[in-house]
Amino acid sequence: MDTSSAVIDSLHPLETKVLTTFGASRPGTVLDSEQLAVVAELEPSQLSMAVEWLLAKALITIQSETVTPVVSLTKIGEEYYRGASPIERVLDAAREAAGTGKRLTIPDLQSQDGLDPSDVSKAVGRLKKEGVLLIVQGGCIETTGRPSPTVEALRTLLKQMHESSRALKDFSEDDRRVIEDYAVKRGNAKEPFRVDERVTRAFILSPSGASSAEQLLKQGVAEEVSQLTPEMLKDGSWRHKRFRKYTISLRAPRVGTGKKHPYREFLDTVKTKLVSMGFQEMRGSLVETEFWNMDALFMPQFHPARDIHDVYFVKRPTHASAMDESVLSHVAQVHQHGAGTGSTGWGYSFDAQRAKRLVLRSQGTAVSARTLAAAPSIPGKYFSIARCFRYDQVDATHATDFFQVEGIVLGEDINFRTLLGLLNLFAREVAQAKEVKFLPAYFPFTEPSVELHVRHPRLGWMELGGAGLFRPEVTLPLGVTVPVIAWGLGLDRMAMVALGIHDIRELFTDNLELIRATRGLF
Amino acid sequence: MPTITVYKNDFQSLLHQSPSANRTVSIEELEAWLMLTKGELKGYNPETGELRIELQDSNRPDLWCCEGIARQIRIKQQGKLSPYPFFSEQSQSQAQIIVKPGIEQVRPYVAACAARGYRVTTEGLAQLIQTQEKLAEIFGHKRKTVSIGIYQLPKITFPVTYELVKPDEARFTPLGMETVMTLSEILMVHPKGLEYGAILAGTGRLPILRDAANQPLSFPPIINSREIGEVQVGDDQLFVEVTGTDLPMVVLTLNIFASNLADRGATIEPIEVQYPRSTSLGKRVTTPLDLGKSKTIQIQKVEQALGQELGAQTVARALETYGYDVSAGKGSVKAKLPPYRQDLMHMMDVVEDVAMSLGYAEFTPVMPAQFTVGGLSDIEHTSDRARELMVGLGFQEIISNILGSPDSYSGRMRLEGTEWGGMVEVDNVMSLSFSCLRQWILPSLLRVEAASSRAFYPHRLFEAGDVVIPDASHELGSRTETVLGAVIVHASAHFSEIHSCVDVLFYYLGKEYSLETVQHPSFLEGRAGRIIVAGQPVGIIGELHPEVLDRWQIAMPVVAFDLNLSQLLS
């Protein structure tokens, strides 16, 4: 696309009209605003917009500027036009008096409605000077029967100028004298005419304007429209229309969006990964017994992590109303002396009442424990994205409630090496990491236990999760005889980096604009 | 679990057990060695030589000190643990502690030893105090099960007596004080008395350790005598006692201290404790005392658990270089823990020690090969479909805390004392802002709205998440259910607008519903309805009551619905 077509494409319909007006005239034609307005059939305001735009684009230039005195009607003049001028009324009154034989004096005229005394004096003076009126004895006014050139001229001028204002030089010398006599002057605003100095600009096409105009004429001007309408499509008229091109580089207006929460979206991708790896989702209760939250996981009732500082206790009711007593007693025996699991047990006296104490679930492993007791599939893989609660001071790295992603894998082929294999898979699938490190770790319910460290493509070395083989003290009393991997992934740091936040509390932020603005890079 | 401070020089001399052969250990080397102890280096100050190490294993209190970490590494370097003579030799002339009747009702057990020949250094003293604190605090449950006292041995005349006295019967100057105080004064005034006094609550008479000259050593588990129980740099004769409520734990704690002091060069002299009647370890118990028993470990089971063929020799060698006392048989090994450990409950504990001793890097990962089918729960599936639809309807998803305040979930919603206002509350409240579980979703969305009046309107928000509904008929006293809540907020928000959304939602979820007028305090009267499915209420829809909006300081009309997806499914 050459420059002149680019110029043409950007033209507003008003600009096109002005350019084509020039184009239709002989080359080098100079047109002033009035001529343009007439030929291009534009309102003065439209014309002045178009002219300013074309000047800014240097498609036309100003050839000359002329200052012309222009005569127009004042408000008073419009009133005179609709009714009659004072001088005409005075003359009419005198003629009427002559016809009826009534006496007419200046005070009589001055008392008539709408006639100003000074107007009356001026009118009488002028008519007398023209020899139209005579003042006879007793101050009576009589007509001579001669016509008044002033009255005639005024009537014509009022009519002409009511139609449009005109340049002073267009009038005859006599008319000009009448206009000057009856024009607004300093100290006398009550006159029908006003003489203003009007600047008239004349324009000529610039060379680029000339070529644009020529091209416009050549391609022919279809009617340009801004909006395609159903009617145009229906009657086919769109075929004869040009659609105005937009400046598409402008900033788009804002629109309200429906969208998932970025953190939830992150968890959704993890969920999808896990399902694709053959994991079945588990759900659990947010209120749980200490039994499922800890006892079933072989955490002794005197374990430091069970002190009041780590878990929220439920106020009402304090204890579960019922429990599977056989599982409860089996687990109790394992805690006490191992009960056939091959373990010595913890060697303390188990408090069955404490096992029923209700708490807010503090670890996702509680969900896994329930699954183990509910005849899981073997082989089987399970996961849950479980909301958990910790009795902790809230700060940038500790939230009162948070998601734990964890689960279990059951099977005859489960052992320490398949545990490492599973963690390798998580490293690759969840963190896109190729390098891993396995470190010894401690969890109360697994042995051996592993910490999984990975080299994340963006974050470098980080701890991705922990895992281990469930202790037989956990699995056997729940009726599971095959080895079981328990695993958990610590994804909050990954999520926070993906979402560009530094404070864990922002994962649950109440700042709507922040939620709307955040896009996850997963 | 505990984080401890260790001085690098001190650690190096313990590692090589010779101050002269003090080879520098690099930080990288140290981090690699720490894997043997489940320890993680948290910080290092090269100027002071201070290392901060976090120890993970709550069943290995022997590792919560510089001596224990160095020992575990040293054993690996030297190939085996050099046995501590004091666990096997019977000393002839023993000092004694006499336990008097009555103490069994309060704090029944005591164990003690003497240590001579180690001159206490600044770093050594810091470690003694730190180990004393960590063991009593974490392993001893804030001194309840175990507490420890260390004294200047020359000031004590044996035998020492452990007995109960009336609160005003004994008096001494406690550590940290200038004046003589009775036991009841210590409980009322001394910071340690105030901190730990609750352990002795309800006991009329209080425990005391006194020597043959009737000098008080200590008021366990509260405070030692300043006179005898203030060890200083330069002391080279020490007396260590441990009191508590669990005899094996008391003995183990003393064993750890004895081993630690022996590692620093002290000669340990056992002490005999005479109980008035027999304990699980007899009437006379001489400590330190090795309580470990040999356990026969089937190699095949170890191999099965680790997924790798190792053979008896390799397993035996791995355990020996981890501190076990081992004898290899055919297809099995007999293994006994060193006396400073008591954490062998199951064969699997040994399995982990084998793996750690060999190094986790020695095991090649293998993918679990068995086929399983993945999938979502029904409720998650329904919740995901509903979320997709809400996004399609132009709603922004929100996630919120479930733990919140009664004011948000009930008070500001005008639900206090109504059938809708019941919530599961927390007993041990830390902050009122986190003291109950939400019973519906709308307050979570209003929380966002209240904070976002400057955000571009309209606001269309939703959350699909768990709520907890009190239910006396349920064995847990409540039900966890998944609820979808949504609000539309703008200057001309109208009932029909949110009604249309519910309509679309039900259409695509394939459920029939109807609305039934309800008077609900959170909504404008005549503009609220129960959502009924199959004759059962599953949710609520309406225009929020201006009083509710006022309480949330929301200056925009809000229309909303709250739909229980769990009930919709059932």
Side-chain angles (χ1 to χ4, degrees):
Chain A
M1 183 184 276
D2 63 39
T3 18
S4 65
S5 11
V7 168
I8 286 169
D9 286 342
S10 76
L11 290 177
H12 191 272
L14 295 176
E15 294 174 297
T16 309
K17 276 196 170 168
V18 172
L19 277 187
T20 47
T21 303
F22 273 106
S25 319
R26 272 185 304 109
T29 301
V30 176
L31 293 170
D32 66 23
S33 333
E34 281 177 33
Q35 293 164 317
L36 275 172
V38 173
V39 183
E41 297 173 323
L42 292 174
E43 295 293 319
S45 61
Q46 290 177 322
L47 179 71
S48 89
M49 273 195 290
V51 160
E52 290 307 323
W53 293 336
L54 289 169
L55 282 171
K57 291 179 186 169
L59 293 176
I60 58 173
T61 54
I62 297 169
Q63 173 74 14
S64 62
E65 277 187 352
T66 3
V67 179
T68 335
V70 173
V71 191
S72 55
L73 288 190
T74 63
K75 228 169 129 187
I76 304 252
E78 291 290 348
E79 278 174 27
Y80 290 178
Y81 165 71
R82 282 197 301 274
S85 58
I87 189 169
E88 193 175 349
R89 287 179 65 180
V90 167
L91 183 58
D92 286 351
R95 285 183 177 149
E96 197 192 320
T100 58
K102 265 191 184 168
R103 277 170 50 96
L104 184 71
T105 62
I106 290 181
D108 289 340
L109 284 168
Q110 285 175 336
S111 66
Q112 276 196 13
D113 242 8
L115 274 178
D116 194 274
S118 64
D119 286 343
V120 173
S121 314
K122 188 180 172 187
V124 172
R126 183 138 194 144
L127 291 170
K128 212 174 116 190
K129 198 173 165 194
E130 284 180 339
V132 178
L133 292 183
L134 293 171
I135 307 289
V136 297
Q137 203 173 10
C140 287
I141 298 169
E142 285 180 5
T143 57
T144 61
R146 291 167 63 177
S148 160
T150 306
V151 169
E152 300 304 319
L154 261 180
R155 193 179 295 141
T156 315
L157 288 172
L158 283 169
K159 184 167 185 292
Q160 282 177 350
M161 269 173 281
H162 169 72
E163 278 154 14
S164 72
S165 42
R166 302 172 70 167
L168 187 61
K169 63 175 167 45
D170 294 348
F171 293 98
S172 67
E173 205 172 323
D174 290 347
D175 281 349
R176 283 213 290 275
R177 208 170 298 127
V178 174
I179 287 166
E180 264 150 35
D181 283 351
Y182 286 90
V184 172
K185 297 174 200 70
R186 196 174 296 152
N188 183 9
K190 270 196 68 193
E191 292 296 349
F193 303 117
R194 177 193 293 121
V195 180
D196 296 312
E197 296 205 322
R198 183 171 297 170
V199 179
T200 311
R201 292 188 294 184
F203 306 99
I204 185 166
L205 285 178
S206 70
S208 62
S211 71
S212 296
E214 191 185 343
Q215 199 168 335
L216 267 179
L217 285 176
K218 222 186 295 168
Q219 71 186 38
V221 183
E223 187 189 345
E224 204 181 61
V225 291
S226 61
Q227 181 68 50
L228 179 64
T229 63
E231 287 72 28
M232 291 177 198
L233 288 166
K234 210 168 167 187
D235 63 17
S237 62
W238 62 271
R239 292 175 201 281
H240 312 293
K241 306 222 190 273
R242 248 168 69 85
F243 294 92
R244 184 156 59 82
K245 301 193 177 174
Y246 298 145
T247 311
I248 55 169
S249 58
L250 292 179
R251 207 182 158 81
R254 186 147 177 203
V255 65
T257 327
K259 155 178 163 307
K260 289 183 181 171
H261 191 284
Y263 181 39
R264 195 75 196 263
E265 218 179 343
F266 171 81
L267 294 174
D268 281 349
T269 63
V270 173
K271 187 168 81 180
T272 307
K273 285 275 183 202
L274 288 167
V275 170
S276 74
M277 290 187 261
F279 284 83
Q280 172 67 43
E281 196 210 4
M282 313 177 276
R283 304 283 282 206
S285 173
L286 294 178
V287 171
E288 193 46 283
T289 53
E290 281 206 37
F291 180 81
W292 290 111
N293 198 55
M294 288 173 277
D295 295 332
L297 297 168
F298 200 55
M299 292 167 73
Q301 293 182 321
F302 58 81
H303 193 277
R306 297 185 58 158
D307 284 352
I308 193 155
H309 294 296
D310 294 305
V311 48
Y312 280 105
F313 291 99
V314 171
K315 193 172 182 179
R316 244 185 342 265
T318 54
H319 291 81
S321 57
M323 254 186 92
D324 183 334
E325 294 293 335
S326 83
V327 176
L328 176 63
S329 94
H330 202 165
V331 168
Q333 286 171 39
V334 172
H335 274 241
Q336 281 165 8
H337 49 74
T341 58
S343 174
T344 60
W346 287 105
Y348 73 103
S349 131
F350 186 89
D351 180 353
Q353 192 58 18
R354 178 157 183 191
K356 293 178 183 170
R357 183 75 177 95
L358 293 174
V359 299
L360 305 191
R361 177 171 72 201
S362 69
Q363 48 186 352
T365 323
V367 186
S368 300
R370 287 253 190 195
T371 301
L372 286 180
S377 303
I378 294 169
K381 297 200 199 102
Y382 295 88
F383 80 99
S384 74
I385 298 182
R387 192 73 77 98
C388 299
F389 304 87
R390 288 280 164 86
Y391 190 80
D392 228 334
Q393 289 293 345
V394 176
D395 61 31
T397 54
H398 297 87
T400 54
D401 51 310
F402 51 90
F403 285 105
Q404 273 193 345
V405 181
E406 54 171 280
I408 49 178
V409 179
L410 312 89
E412 295 290 353
D413 71 338
I414 293 306
N415 57 47
F416 185 61
R417 285 176 63 195
T418 47
L419 164 66
L420 300 184
L422 178 78
L423 294 179
N424 254 350
L425 182 69
F426 283 154
R428 200 171 60 229
E429 291 299 317
V430 180
Q432 292 84 48
K434 291 192 182 71
E435 276 184 80
V436 301
K437 264 195 306 207
F438 301 117
L439 301 183
Y442 173 79
F443 306 105
F445 38 77
T446 55
E447 200 84 21
S449 308
V450 191
E451 232 172 53
L452 168 65
H453 289 242
V454 302
R455 197 205 283 279
H456 187 275
R458 275 180 296 141
L459 308 179
W461 282 105
M462 60 171 276
E463 186 183 335
L464 182 65
L469 302 179
F470 260 135
R471 300 185 67 102
E473 294 98 320
V474 175
T475 53
L476 292 176
L478 301 180
V480 172
T481 53
V482 296
V484 180
I485 291 171
W487 57 267
L489 296 174
L491 301 177
D492 279 350
R493 193 166 156 242
M494 251 169 70
M496 285 165 71
V497 171
L499 303 177
I501 60 175
H502 304 287
D503 187 325
I504 198 164
R505 287 167 291 191
E506 280 189 27
L507 290 174
F508 295 160
T509 182
D510 59 11
N511 183 338
L512 180 56
E513 284 299 12
L514 182 69
I515 297 168
R516 281 169 164 173
T518 307
R519 54 184 166 220
L521 303 167
F522 309 132
Chain B
M1 284 299 109
T3 300
I4 63 169
T5 300
V6 165
Y7 294 93
K8 193 156 174 283
N9 276 334
D10 192 36
F11 172 77
Q12 282 163 184
S13 62
L14 279 161
L15 192 58
H16 306 299
Q17 272 194 327
S18 149
S20 54
N22 195 348
R23 192 178 67 80
T24 302
V25 176
S26 76
I27 293 299
E28 292 71 31
E29 245 181 303
L30 176 68
E31 283 190 306
W33 284 121
L34 281 177
M35 276 201 240
L36 286 169
T37 65
K38 299 187 188 175
E40 191 187 343
L41 186 63
K42 290 287 187 184
Y44 172 51
N45 182 341
E47 278 172 32
T48 60
E50 278 181 345
L51 300 158
R52 300 280 298 160
I53 300 173
E54 186 188 23
L55 285 312
Q56 282 193 30
D57 196 333
S58 64
N59 293 334
R60 290 286 306 271
D62 62 296
L63 293 175
W64 303 351
C65 52
C66 183
E67 297 89 339
I69 295 171
R71 183 187 308 127
Q72 190 68 68
I73 298 168
R74 201 174 59 231
I75 295 167
K76 189 78 195 170
Q77 291 176 336
Q78 295 177 349
K80 61 189 267 192
L81 171 70
S82 337
Y84 294 101
F86 49 87
F87 285 112
S88 43
E89 288 165 15
Q90 280 299 313
S91 165
Q92 292 307 309
S93 58
Q94 285 175 2
Q96 291 176 328
I97 295 179
I98 316 288
V99 179
K100 292 285 181 68
I103 194 86
E104 69 275 3
Q105 289 155 20
V106 179
R107 198 171 180 82
Y109 307 110
V110 62
C113 71
R116 293 182 206 267
Y118 162 60
R119 193 170 291 278
V120 175
T121 60
T122 313
E123 286 117 352
L125 182 60
Q127 289 300 310
L128 265 181
I129 293 170
Q130 176 175 267
T131 309
Q132 186 183 1
E133 281 172 357
K134 298 291 179 190
L135 288 184
E137 198 63 22
I138 301 169
F139 184 62
H141 304 101
K142 302 190 166 54
R143 301 193 183 181
K144 202 172 145 200
T145 17
V146 168
S147 65
I148 302 126
I150 307 172
Y151 310 83
Q152 294 168 312
L153 181 65
K155 292 187 179 170
I156 301 170
T157 318
F158 285 92
V160 167
T161 308
Y162 182 42
E163 62 191 319
L164 292 180
V165 291
K166 288 183 186 149
D168 297 318
E169 205 176 276
R171 59 183 62 214
F172 64 93
T173 308
L175 283 172
M177 288 283 168
E178 303 289 331
T179 54
V180 173
M181 299 168 94
T182 65
L183 301 191
S184 53
E185 282 169 341
I186 288 173
L187 285 180
M188 282 184 290
V189 177
H190 197 281
K192 298 293 177 193
L194 295 170
E195 192 176 349
Y196 299 106
I199 296 168
L200 298 170
T203 51
R205 294 194 301 157
L206 301 171
I208 192 156
L209 280 162
R210 282 187 291 205
D211 77 350
N214 213 29
Q215 285 187 100
L217 272 66
S218 171
F219 168 23
I222 311 297
I223 193 78
N224 281 0
S225 152
R226 182 176 169 172
E227 187 59 33
I228 305 177
E230 187 166 43
V231 175
Q232 280 159 359
V233 171
D235 288 345
D236 63 355
Q237 298 181 58
L238 305 177
F239 173 70
V240 182
E241 56 78 13
V242 180
T243 60
T245 54
D246 180 294
L247 185 53
M249 284 172 75
V250 166
V251 171
L252 176 68
T253 307
L254 186 81
N255 290 352
I256 291 171
F257 268 91
S259 307
N260 287 0
L261 287 165
D263 285 353
R264 287 186 180 276
T267 305
I268 301 300
E269 293 174 8
I271 303 245
E272 185 189 76
V273 181
Q274 294 182 6
Y275 288 96
R277 61 185 76 117
S278 193
T279 68
S280 60
L281 299 176
K283 204 169 173 186
R284 293 176 176 229
V285 184
T286 301
T287 55
L289 177 62
D290 187 357
L291 297 178
K293 292 193 188 77
S294 288
K295 199 173 171 76
T296 303
I297 309 291
Q298 300 299 323
I299 298 304
Q300 190 218 336
K301 293 209 164 169
V302 175
E303 290 175 338
Q304 198 182 335
L306 291 175
Q308 189 147 314
E309 276 184 31
L310 296 167
Q313 286 307 316
T314 308
V315 172
R317 189 73 199 123
L319 289 174
E320 194 171 29
T321 56
Y322 202 66
Y324 280 77
D325 185 6
V326 187
S327 55
K330 209 177 155 79
S332 70
V333 292
K334 281 179 89 169
K336 190 184 84 61
L337 283 178
Y340 49 82
R341 283 181 63 179
Q342 251 176 34
D343 56 316
L344 203 172
M345 282 190 282
H346 194 279
M347 186 271 291
M348 290 301 282
D349 296 304
V350 180
V351 168
E352 183 181 72
D353 284 347
V354 170
M356 274 205 289
S357 183
L358 294 172
Y360 282 9
E362 293 301 306
F363 295 86
T364 314
V366 178
M367 270 298 297
Q370 289 175 307
F371 180 79
T372 59
V373 176
L376 296 178
S377 63
D378 290 347
I379 185 64
E380 184 71 5
H381 183 68
T382 303
S383 160
D384 278 356
R385 288 191 59 210
R387 288 170 60 215
E388 291 283 353
L389 290 168
M390 292 309 288
V391 169
L393 284 165
F395 284 77
Q396 167 68 53
E397 186 175 31
I398 300 296
I399 309 191
S400 309
N401 287 90
I402 292 177
L403 199 56
S405 72
D407 184 43
S408 307
Y409 297 159
S410 171
R412 285 183 226 173
M413 304 307 294
R414 303 173 82 225
L415 296 182
E416 269 167 10
T418 71
E419 58 178 301
W420 293 280
M423 286 168 301
V424 168
E425 288 176 65
V426 160
D427 203 7
N428 49 332
V429 174
M430 181 181 289
S431 139
L432 258 188
S433 313
F434 305 108
S435 60
C436 62
L437 297 173
R438 67 180 177 196
Q439 80 283 29
W440 62 331
I441 295 280
L442 290 191
S444 297
L445 299 175
L446 293 182
R447 161 192 79 103
V448 174
E449 180 54 37
S452 305
S453 62
R454 286 162 177 272
F456 175 77
Y457 279 93
H459 296 170
R460 295 162 78 90
L461 313 176
F462 83 97
E463 176 168 359
D466 284 353
V467 307
V468 178
I469 300 163
D471 180 353
S473 70
H474 195 281
E475 60 182 34
L476 296 174
S478 62
R479 306 187 311 266
T480 297
E481 295 185 335
T482 302
V483 170
L484 169 67
V487 295
I488 298 177
V489 191
H490 59 86
S492 52
H494 188 269
F495 182 89
S496 60
E497 206 177 345
I498 196 82
H499 189 186
S500 303
C501 297
V502 168
D503 216 53
V504 166
L505 202 58
F506 271 91
Y507 178 78
Y508 289 111
L509 291 177
K511 299 271 181 186
E512 298 281 339
Y513 79 102
S514 61
L515 296 188
E516 196 175 81
T517 304
V518 67
Q519 275 199 28
H520 187 291
S522 303
F523 297 91
L524 269 176
E525 203 180 330
R527 296 188 182 186
R530 272 203 169 96
I531 304 172
I532 309 283
V533 172
Q536 294 299 311
V538 296
I540 190 140
I541 177 174
E543 293 191 6
L544 281 182
H545 198 285
E547 176 63 32
V548 169
L549 300 181
D550 195 53
R551 290 182 190 182
W552 279 98
Q553 298 195 311
I554 292 171
M556 222 18 123
V558 180
V559 293
F561 74 82
D562 196 86
L563 173 64
N564 190 317
L565 298 175
S566 302
Q567 285 173 21
L568 192 67
L569 262 191
S570 64

